[in-house]
């Protein structure tokens, strides 16, 4: 029997206990040993009692777990940076294998953790840190290891995907949909991390590090959230055949890594366009495998527990074969991060401009002077002497577009630059 200690018995921790109990026999057959949680570190004993376990399983301190030589696996589900980081590193020093769902920790302190795992020849598995129940870490590290990965594009945040899906279907403004999502429990009372894109940024930092074998941290990710998206932009995008998504994107170009999270218009025929509601998906393109997509529940008790239990079982197999520490850190390169200003993409731009002869020519001239070529120009609703102008650019460099928009925003024919949204997945030409 393999003994396991659980740090944190909240929603996911309770799910892990339930899954290990419900599927006990099949898990034992598949992994080669029975898996038993013998110690739980949890400050609220009610959470442990609610699972039908008695208080004897609650560890008095982390040392009780660290000093238990029979315990071979520690599952860290406390979240946050400290004390989780110290507990994980101390557990590794004691020769214990670790499973975590802690994206914040890996996205900011991955290097330290992988070094500790390597020094102590222990397994360090973190499948649940990205995409909840969706298997993506092990597929990138193992099944797809023979490919040069060209891009990974994810819908990695269920809250924002729910909000954008609702805004698209019901044409309601962001604030109203956010409120509804909070009432239904789909959005946190403080939604900042989700709606500003930070949660997705942590996840794409982890995926980028694996895909391109070079450490990418949360701080490296360019981030824009969804708070400025309006029903009007969604409507105009739909008329042009686009769907709005908060995308987490990483690509390798000219030996640099692009890593960014922002709202993007994708063609309604793109595989990610149909990923609605709280669902997550990860689209991967590799040179051999070509296009792949992983789809599923990116959060929730049992989907996340599914990933944690899979990680535990991998460790049990490695323990059995005396083979822990088999997959060490995959970041053996040190690549530069590409600046967002150098991005070459197509853009949707919405301007409020004076509705009178010659205005369009003036605006087109400014774009032309900044190397920004336009593919589509549409004049939409007109109101009180101003018209909504919707422009789609050709492939342009972001810094050129920003310079043009700066000049335009200071011209008296332009009321305001209302929104700028990048296009993604358009004819495969964007970088
Ligand atoms: N808050 C995340 C989401 C789930 O909305 O998808 C946890 O990473």
């Amino acid at each position: 029997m393999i003994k396991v200690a659980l740090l944190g018995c909240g929603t996911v921790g309770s799910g892990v206990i339930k899954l290990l109990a419900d599927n006990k026999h099949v898990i034992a057959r598949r992994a080669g040993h029975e898996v038993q949680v013998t110690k739980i570190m949890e400050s609220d004993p009610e959470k442990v009692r609610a699972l039908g376990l008695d208080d004897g399983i609650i560890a008095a301190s982390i040392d009780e777990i660290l000093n238990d030589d029979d315990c071979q696996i520690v599952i860290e589900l406390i979240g946050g940076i400290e004390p989780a980081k110290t507990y994980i590193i101390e557990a590794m020093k004691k020769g214990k294998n670790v499973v975590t769902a802690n994206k914040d920790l890996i996205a900011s302190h991955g290097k330290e953790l992988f070094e500790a795992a390597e020094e102590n020849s222990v397994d360090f598995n973190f499948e649940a840190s990205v995409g909840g129940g969706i298997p993506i870490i092990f597929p990138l590290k193992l099944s797809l290891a023979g490919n040069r990965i060209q891009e990974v594009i994810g819908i990695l945040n269920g809250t924002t995907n729910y909000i954008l899906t609702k805004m698209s279907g019901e044409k309601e403004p962001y604030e109203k949909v956010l409120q509804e999502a909070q009432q239904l429990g789909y959005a946190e009372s403080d939604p900042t991390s989700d709606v500003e894109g930070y949660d997705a940024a942590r996840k794409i930092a982890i995926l980028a590090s694996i895909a391109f074998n070079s450490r990418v941290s949360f701080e490296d990710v360019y981030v824009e959230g969804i708070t400025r998206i309006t029903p009007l932009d969604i409507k105009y995008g739909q008329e042009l055949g686009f769907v709005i998504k908060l995308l987490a994107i990483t690509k390798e170009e000219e030996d640099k890594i692009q890593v960014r999270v922002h709202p993007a218009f994708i063609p309604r025929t793109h595989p990610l366009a149909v990923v609605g509601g709280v669902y997550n998906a990860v689209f991967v393109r590799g040179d051999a495998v070509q296009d792949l997509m992983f789809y599923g529940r990116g959060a929730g008790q049992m989907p996340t527990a599914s990933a944690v239990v899979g990680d535990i079982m991998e460790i049990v197999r490695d323990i059995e074969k005396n083979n822990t520490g088999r997959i060490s850190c995959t970041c053996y390169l040190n690549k530069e991060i590409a600046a967002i200003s150098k991005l070459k993409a197509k853009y949707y731009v919405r301007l409020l401009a004076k509705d009178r002869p010659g205005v369009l020519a003036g605006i087109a001239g400014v774009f032309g002077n900044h190397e920004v070529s336009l593919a589509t120009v549409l004049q939409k609703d007109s109101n009180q002497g101003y018209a909504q102008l919707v422009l789609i650019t050709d492939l342009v460099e972001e810094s050129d577009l920003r310079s043009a928009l700066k000049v335009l925003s200071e011209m008296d024919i332009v009321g305001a630059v209302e929104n700028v949204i990048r296009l993604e997945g358009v004819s495969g030409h964007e970088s």
Side-chain angles (χ1 to χ4, degrees):
M1 183 210 290
I2 300 291
K3 294 186 177 171
V4 173
L6 178 63
L7 312 183
C9 194
T11 307
V12 178
S14 301
V16 170
I17 303 268
K18 280 186 206 159
L19 188 56
L20 286 173
D22 290 352
N23 293 350
K24 181 175 164 176
H25 298 296
V26 78
I27 288 170
R29 289 294 297 273
R30 288 177 184 162
H33 291 272
E34 201 178 305
V35 176
Q36 192 169 357
V37 176
T38 55
K39 287 194 163 57
I40 300 178
M41 204 178 87
E42 171 55 57
S43 56
D44 179 359
E46 283 308 325
K47 291 186 179 163
V48 176
R49 289 174 198 149
L51 293 163
L53 300 171
D54 76 45
D55 286 10
I57 200 168
I58 301 176
S61 69
I62 185 69
D63 290 331
E64 188 183 325
I65 290 170
L66 296 175
N67 295 328
D68 178 353
D69 292 337
D70 288 341
C71 163
Q72 293 181 277
I73 306 175
V74 169
I75 310 164
E76 184 278 307
L77 297 172
I78 311 169
I81 306 297
E82 287 293 1
K85 178 159 83 88
T86 302
Y87 291 173
I88 289 177
I89 292 176
E90 290 305 314
M92 288 173 173
K93 285 186 185 161
K94 294 276 189 181
K96 299 184 194 311
N97 303 280
V98 173
V99 175
T100 184
N102 193 332
K103 58 182 175 290
D104 303 33
L105 190 51
I106 300 171
S108 296
H109 300 272
K111 188 167 184 289
E112 229 178 303
L113 300 169
F114 290 108
E115 282 171 1
E118 205 160 334
E119 274 163 26
N120 296 287
S121 297
V122 294
D123 280 354
F124 179 44
N125 292 350
F126 50 97
E127 187 61 71
S129 64
V130 179
I134 301 175
I136 184 63
I137 308 282
F138 270 124
L140 280 176
K141 281 190 176 182
L142 300 176
S143 332
L144 299 172
N147 286 259
R148 279 183 183 277
I149 300 296
Q150 292 158 339
E151 63 181 33
V152 178
I153 305 182
I155 294 175
L156 295 177
N157 184 268
T159 305
T160 46
N161 203 45
Y162 174 84
I163 293 173
L164 292 177
T165 305
K166 271 271 178 197
M167 284 177 72
S168 302
E170 293 173 17
K171 306 182 175 26
E172 284 178 343
Y174 165 77
E175 291 77 10
K176 181 153 187 277
V177 176
L178 171 63
Q179 258 180 16
E180 284 167 11
Q182 285 171 321
Q183 278 155 12
L184 290 166
Y186 292 147
E188 306 269 350
S189 51
D190 176 1
T192 312
S193 168
D194 294 315
V195 301
E196 295 296 352
Y198 306 141
D199 174 76
R202 292 188 170 95
K203 294 166 178 167
I204 198 68
I206 296 171
L207 296 185
S209 302
I210 300 169
F212 301 120
N213 303 105
S214 181
R215 173 81 35 225
V216 176
S217 297
F218 168 63
E219 295 74 18
D220 295 322
V221 184
Y222 172 82
V223 192
E224 272 175 40
I226 62 163
T227 56
R228 298 191 62 241
I229 300 299
T230 69
L232 201 56
D233 295 308
I234 293 176
K235 179 179 141 202
Y236 294 158
Q238 283 171 341
E239 287 171 16
L240 292 161
F242 296 122
V243 174
I244 189 96
K245 292 287 171 197
L246 181 71
L247 296 184
I249 301 170
T250 188
K251 302 182 186 193
E252 188 176 5
E253 202 191 37
E254 293 168 3
D255 232 25
K256 290 188 184 163
I257 299 175
Q258 282 184 22
V259 60
R260 48 194 165 99
V261 170
H262 53 73
F265 277 129
I266 53 175
R268 70 163 76 92
T269 51
H270 192 286
L272 286 168
V274 296
V275 178
V278 294
Y279 277 88
N280 281 199
V282 189
F283 178 85
V284 179
R285 184 174 289 156
D287 59 352
V289 72
Q290 300 181 23
D291 292 356
L292 265 183
M293 196 162 90
F294 300 77
Y295 168 90
R297 291 194 180 271
Q301 182 181 49
M302 297 317 289
T304 312
S306 158
V308 172
V309 169
D311 278 358
I312 297 170
M313 292 169 69
E314 265 309 285
I315 297 174
V316 173
R317 295 179 183 115
D318 283 347
I319 292 172
E320 163 72 22
K321 300 285 181 210
N322 229 343
N323 212 5
T324 61
R326 183 169 52 97
I327 308 174
S328 49
C329 180
T330 51
C331 293
Y332 54 82
L333 298 172
N334 192 6
K335 298 202 168 178
E336 250 182 80
I337 304 295
I340 192 74
S341 58
K342 297 287 173 203
L343 177 71
K344 286 195 185 67
K346 295 181 181 179
Y347 296 79
Y348 157 102
V349 177
R350 176 162 65 86
L351 298 172
L352 206 53
K354 283 198 176 146
D355 194 4
R356 64 168 198 237
V359 167
L360 213 49
I363 290 173
V366 173
F367 281 118
N369 290 341
H370 289 85
E371 307 294 320
V372 176
S373 162
L374 300 173
T376 308
V377 180
L378 299 172
Q379 179 168 335
K380 308 298 289 186
D381 311 81
S382 209
N383 194 4
Q384 295 184 337
Y386 281 90
Q388 296 280 351
L389 286 188
V390 172
L391 315 162
I392 303 291
T393 73
D394 280 326
L395 208 57
V396 301
E397 191 168 296
E398 175 131 349
S399 58
D400 288 334
L401 179 75
R402 297 287 169 191
S403 308
L405 293 176
K406 185 164 185 305
V407 172
L408 284 167
S409 66
E410 286 158 7
M411 289 167 75
D412 75 325
I413 51 169
V414 174
V417 177
E418 297 273 74
N419 221 339
V420 179
I421 299 173
R422 297 173 188 86
L423 270 48
E424 187 62 46
V426 190
S427 337
H429 291 311
E430 75 294 338
S431 59

